[in-house]
Structure formats: structure tokens, C-alpha cells
Amino acid sequence: MIPDWLEPVARAAREITPDDLTRFVAPEDADTRRGAVLMLFGGQRDLLLTERAHNMRSHPGQVSFPGGTIDPGETPREAALREAWEETGVRPEGVEVFAELPELWLPPSNFSVTPILGWWAQEAPVGVVDPAEVHAVYRVPLEELLDPAHRISVRHPSGWLGPGFLIGPQHDVMLWGFTAGIVSRLLDFLGWTRPWDEDRVRDLPSYMLQGEVRPVAPPAASPEERP
């Protein structure tokens, strides 16, 4: 059973449409690759996020939800839970899936991604499982995502401008792109967003484009390990 504070999220998931979350919707005849991500909410009112390894050819250093390709015979729910286990060590049996968001399209990679919403009913320590894929794991409090001091607009070298968040222990890690868009628009839909300065623009860091290595962040701590 999910806590009361997650009930508005569950209701929103039943009502929200793809157009509420993104301006990109796959054409009906599109032959897309299918993927799934896990939006995992923890007992500290936080979200689990991963930072991709910095030497990857695509999206180095990008912060995202755990997730990946749906294997043959898998459902989006099964894929999201499997990928979260492989990337962070989240045990699938400890997660209560309570909703799904609409399938969303990523034109650059031609992925149709289903966000799976989960409640971390039985928490356990998590961290980087495979450094070749994941650089760091973060548990980001929703309060920090809602804090206007941590909201920015992110500018890509192409000129693209989109919503962003500053996360991590020092708030020097940039959450942007597809994941930031989902978070931002879901908060908007819920009516939780607080006024923030959209003219506060940060350029996308070079390491997210060229694979430069950032210092390794500490593994995400379980509630028992927190001070």
C-alpha cells in the first residue's frame, strides 16, 4: 500500500496524457524500439536516479531513471524492475508498482519508453553495480526538486533549451533532457511546482558531450545509513 503523499501521483498517472508530458509523440505507423524506466519513490519522499558512465558513446554522464530496453517476452514493468536491479541493486520484490505513465517517444534514439511508477516498500542499500554503465546513484528528495534554488534552464550547444535540476550532495550534477522533462511536467500536472527563475540558464557541461570524467560520487545511502 502506497503512503498518502503518493496518492496524488497515482491519480495523476491515471489521468495524464502523453501530450501533458512531452511534445514528441511517435507516429502511429512508427517502428520504434521499446524501453521502460523505473520512477522509484522512497520512504524519505525521494526519487532514485542514476548518472550514466562518462565514457559511454551515447549520453555520457546523463542523469536518468534506471531503465533500458524491453527484452523479448518482457512487459515494461518486468523490464524496468530488471534494469533497476542490474544498475543499482534495487530488489524487485521490495518494489510495489502502483502506476504506469503513457508511453513516450524519444525521436533521436527512436525509443518508445514506458515510465513505471514504484513505491519502495522494502528498502535496502543501493549503489553502482556496473561502473561500465553507471557512474553514480542518487536518492534525490522531492523537496530538493521542488526548491526553486535548484531549478535551472539547460542550454544545449545546438541551442535547445529545456528544464533542468541541480542534484547531488553538492548540487553540482545536472539533471536535464528527457528525464528532467518528465519530472518537470509531472510536477506541473500535480500542481506542486513552485515559481522559479526560468531565465537562470546553464550550459550543458562538456563532460556530458565528450565523456570527461567527473569525480566519483558516494553510493546512495539507505535510510539506516543516513545521519
Side-chain angles (χ1 to χ4, degrees):
M1 180 180 297
I2 65 174
D4 291 344
W5 63 269
L6 270 181
E7 287 292 348
V9 180
R11 289 195 298 270
R14 294 191 293 267
E15 301 169 358
I16 205 164
T17 69
D19 289 335
D20 292 320
L21 291 168
T22 179
R23 60 190 179 92
F24 299 112
V25 178
E28 292 185 4
D29 59 348
D31 182 17
T32 63
R33 297 188 292 168
R34 298 183 65 236
V37 296
L38 180 65
M39 295 182 64
L40 183 59
F41 296 86
Q44 302 301 306
R45 300 195 179 199
D46 54 12
L47 269 176
L48 185 71
L49 295 170
T50 65
E51 183 179 355
R52 286 168 61 88
H54 292 201
N55 57 357
M56 301 186 81
R57 287 186 298 176
S58 64
H59 308 295
Q62 179 122 354
V63 177
S64 61
F65 301 117
T69 302
I70 298 175
D71 287 343
E74 278 188 322
T75 64
R77 176 180 305 198
E78 291 168 340
L81 291 172
R82 173 183 55 78
E83 289 282 352
W85 162 250
E86 293 175 353
E87 294 178 8
T88 71
V90 168
R91 295 185 178 278
E93 63 270 20
V95 177
E96 177 187 339
V97 173
F98 66 90
E100 295 184 10
L101 294 182
E103 192 174 63
L104 306 173
W105 184 44
L106 283 74
S109 57
N110 196 34
F111 255 106
S112 289
V113 178
T114 301
I116 303 297
L117 277 58
W119 161 241
W120 205 351
Q122 300 175 33
E123 296 188 7
V126 293
V128 174
V129 175
D130 183 359
E133 292 191 7
V134 178
H135 178 75
V137 176
Y138 303 99
R139 295 187 60 168
V140 183
L142 292 176
E143 179 60 31
E144 292 190 9
L145 295 173
L146 292 168
D147 189 338
H150 302 146
R151 294 295 307 267
I152 57 173
S153 294
V154 180
R155 181 167 50 213
H156 189 275
S158 67
W160 176 90
L161 197 68
F165 301 81
L166 297 175
I167 68 165
Q170 307 301 321
H171 296 104
D172 59 349
V173 179
M174 189 177 291
L175 167 61
W176 73 289
F178 174 74
T179 304
I182 293 177
V183 172
S184 176
R185 292 197 174 201
L186 180 59
L187 295 178
D188 288 347
F189 191 86
L190 289 163
W192 291 359
T193 300
R194 301 169 189 167
W196 59 284
D197 184 3
E198 297 185 32
D199 293 328
R200 185 185 177 203
V201 178
R202 296 280 187 90
D203 290 326
L204 193 66
S206 61
Y207 72 84
M208 287 189 174
L209 300 169
Q210 302 169 1
E212 296 178 6
V213 177
R214 282 171 37 85
V216 175
S222 68
E224 293 79 9
E225 296 172 323
R226 290 186 175 185

